[in-house]
Amino acid sequence: MKSRITALENSEAVVVGGSIAGLLTARVLADHVARVVVVEQDPLPEGPVPRRGVPQSTHVHGLGVRGLRTIEALLPGFTDELTGAGAPLLDLAADLAMRNPYGWAAVFPSGLGFVCAGRPLVEWTVRRMVRSAPNITFREGTRVTGLVGNATAVTGVRVRTRGRPSDDRVPLPADLVVDATGRGSAVDNWLEQLGCTPPPKEIIDPHIGYASRLYRIPEDHRAPWRSCYIQGGPPGPQRSGVLAPVEGGRWIVTLIGSGADRPTTREQDFLPYARGLADPLIAEAIAHAEPLTDISGSHATSNRRRLIRPGARQPGNLLLTGDALCCFNPVYGQGMTAAALGAALLGECLSEPAGLPGLSDRYHRQLTALTSTFWDMAATADNLLPGTEGTPPTRSQRLASRYLGRVQAAGTRDPRVHLAFLEVLHSLRPPSSLFAPRTAIRTLLPRGAGRPVPQARPALTAPGNTSDRLR
């Protein structure tokens, strides 16, 4: 069977999955190919509401600073759309009360702005902006059941459409297929059907679970912070918690634990679990707030990646992106940023003179290198949790974790060190930047080592502006 690969501008692409990764990929492809079809198994809602295919949508989502900037470059006006819908724009160091195991992080204007928005609003905004491209169409309520082609190239996808069985007789033709179906990707089965060996996987599972709930922000709430993150870890309790404001005058609260100390979805357990964090600040904030939803939970927190080697025997016009290639423990908030960077990378690869030929090798090699930083950060943190299964931590990961603890300790007293940490956390600088001389010297000062540094606890209610807090 011959490949249908043609001149790039005359090509047709199928993106499997209407996730954020799939939507951004479709938008990039629309600038390079004649026609893009997004195949999504869910009916897509006309509004920012959760859908069945995104079970994580009811939990806190962190769109990192670099992720926000990347999506803004792909979809100009994206940030204004979110803030126009009521999503708060916050400063990472001035508006977020952040407690690590060594105390409360320094507070100062960082200039690093990030938007607090619920996942349904983010996805709906992206989808609405992507739909404006005239050469992108959507097949909703349609599931891809396999690929058409051989081990060298695919020529289309087989589909099954809810309520329209006659449509399944004719495959969707494609010169390029992108799998953006996330953690539940069936690409291994698809490849086996074509006579290919699926790529090997690496899995690190910390057995973390979390529970989330939306609250109405009380009208009388006054505090010198707008969002709060309490990180667990020795010498305090392992459990963590996040409180973030989202559109509609609401808080979303996610509680996180591992092993036998994972939070439940029982009504009577949520507030007591929050009181068991290293600081009861979140519990005090929600104690008299009105719950707006039931409690939702998730244990789907393993780190998983497919290792596609250069020259692997698989179709040269089949790409994996987003969580289908590499997914991380969601508690680290890396997924949407990785998805955005993957889409931007695809645009760069398609702009190269080679076009579609050899695209799979080029793209997967570069995307694997790009996501390796996210992987190493998540794996290093998760490998230190008791009960983690999978690839054991390397000596360098153990050393890196020990040094990161020193960085966090120094960040409770030194704004410059905390800023360096935030820039790495939000993918603005590589982790190696933490070893730069000016950061390393400030990190390794005696006060940054050893026992936790005592810090003032941010008040639940306090007058004054945000620049006065946590001094």
Side-chain angles (χ1 to χ4, degrees):
M1 184 179 296
K2 293 183 179 180
S3 165
R4 294 182 69 252
I5 291 180
T6 62
L8 191 59
E9 63 272 13
N10 298 321
S11 300
E12 296 179 284
V14 170
V15 177
V16 188
S19 62
I20 289 176
L23 293 168
L24 294 175
T25 297
R27 182 62 193 89
V28 166
L29 285 169
D31 290 336
H32 296 273
V33 304
R35 181 169 176 260
V36 182
V37 180
V38 179
V39 181
E40 169 53 49
Q41 66 177 359
D42 285 345
L44 296 173
E46 288 298 326
V49 296
R51 61 184 179 91
R52 197 174 96 178
V54 189
Q56 301 286 344
S57 62
T58 56
H59 304 286
V60 165
H61 272 69
L63 178 53
V65 175
R66 188 179 178 190
L68 178 63
R69 293 177 182 177
T70 303
I71 296 179
E72 181 67 32
L74 297 174
L75 300 172
F78 172 72
T79 305
D80 287 343
E81 290 288 332
L82 290 181
T83 56
L89 181 63
L90 275 61
D91 182 286
L92 264 181
D95 296 316
L96 172 62
M98 188 172 184
R99 191 189 193 284
N100 63 47
Y102 301 91
W104 291 99
V107 175
F108 56 94
S110 69
L112 301 178
F114 73 108
V115 177
C116 281
R119 167 63 183 259
L121 176 61
V122 174
E123 184 174 308
W124 179 65
T125 302
V126 171
R127 185 167 65 246
R128 187 163 45 84
M129 298 181 78
V130 167
R131 279 190 188 274
S132 66
N135 58 337
I136 298 178
T137 58
F138 285 75
R139 282 281 298 267
E140 302 177 30
T142 300
R143 184 168 62 90
V144 170
T145 60
L147 302 172
V148 181
N150 56 30
T152 302
V154 295
T155 58
V157 297
R158 295 188 179 90
V159 297
R160 183 170 298 159
T161 303
R162 194 174 306 160
R164 294 159 59 187
S166 60
D167 291 353
D168 301 345
R169 297 171 188 166
V170 181
L172 284 177
D175 301 297
L176 177 65
V177 175
V178 183
D179 177 12
T181 54
R183 284 177 178 264
S185 171
V187 71
D188 291 351
N189 294 332
W190 300 345
L191 289 171
E192 287 176 345
Q193 292 168 11
L194 297 180
C196 301
T197 301
K201 297 188 192 71
E202 183 177 4
I203 301 173
I204 297 175
D205 190 351
H207 299 290
I208 284 177
Y210 47 93
S212 300
R213 191 175 212 179
L214 283 167
Y215 291 84
R216 191 182 310 282
I217 300 177
E219 291 184 3
D220 60 351
H221 174 76
R222 299 291 183 273
W225 49 267
R226 299 180 66 187
S227 183
C228 180
Y229 172 39
I230 298 174
Q231 177 189 352
Q238 289 283 357
R239 58 179 65 172
S240 302
V242 182
L243 178 151
V246 294
E247 66 280 0
R250 301 171 298 168
W251 280 328
I252 185 166
V253 177
T254 294
L255 305 177
I256 306 157
S258 62
D261 194 33
R262 292 182 290 192
T264 75
T265 57
R266 293 192 294 265
E267 174 77 28
Q268 65 269 27
D269 293 342
F270 197 79
L271 186 57
Y273 192 95
R275 289 187 174 124
L277 299 174
D279 191 286
L281 186 67
I282 291 176
E284 292 172 0
I286 65 174
H288 303 291
E290 176 191 356
L292 298 176
T293 62
D294 293 332
I295 301 164
S296 58
S298 176
H299 292 167
T301 58
S302 61
N303 304 278
R304 298 168 177 260
R305 63 176 172 178
R306 290 181 167 90
L307 303 171
I308 301 180
R309 309 299 187 190
R313 188 172 182 266
Q314 70 172 55
N317 57 342
L318 171 65
L319 307 182
L320 278 63
T321 193
D323 284 0
L325 180 69
C326 185
C327 60
F328 318 97
N329 185 339
V331 303
Y332 301 120
Q334 300 169 315
M336 291 192 288
T337 294
L341 293 175
L345 173 64
L346 178 58
E348 295 172 7
C349 290
L350 291 172
S351 297
E352 296 172 358
L356 287 177
L359 177 62
S360 177
D361 275 354
R362 299 197 314 273
Y363 180 67
H364 289 133
R365 182 179 67 252
Q366 295 180 60
L367 184 56
T368 297
L370 187 154
T371 56
S372 288
T373 297
F374 297 102
W375 178 269
D376 289 343
M377 292 173 65
T380 297
D382 283 349
N383 263 325
L384 297 176
L385 294 173
T388 295
E389 295 181 339
T391 309
T394 63
R395 183 173 182 272
S396 61
Q397 285 179 330
R398 291 184 183 277
L399 292 173
S401 177
R402 191 177 304 171
Y403 180 74
L404 184 60
R406 299 285 289 269
V407 169
Q408 290 186 292
T412 63
R413 58 180 172 80
D414 191 325
R416 292 187 183 180
V417 176
H418 186 50
L419 178 60
F421 170 75
L422 291 174
E423 289 175 334
V424 169
L425 192 64
H426 285 257
S427 309
L428 299 172
R429 295 183 184 275
S432 59
S433 66
L434 294 176
F435 295 91
R438 66 177 182 177
T439 301
I441 290 172
R442 303 176 79 94
T443 293
L444 297 174
L445 290 173
R447 285 195 302 161
R451 301 173 67 86
V453 179
Q455 291 290 309
R457 177 177 180 270
L460 178 62
T461 58
N465 58 49
T466 56
S467 64
D468 295 329
R469 67 166 180 239
L470 293 180
R471 297 299 184 189

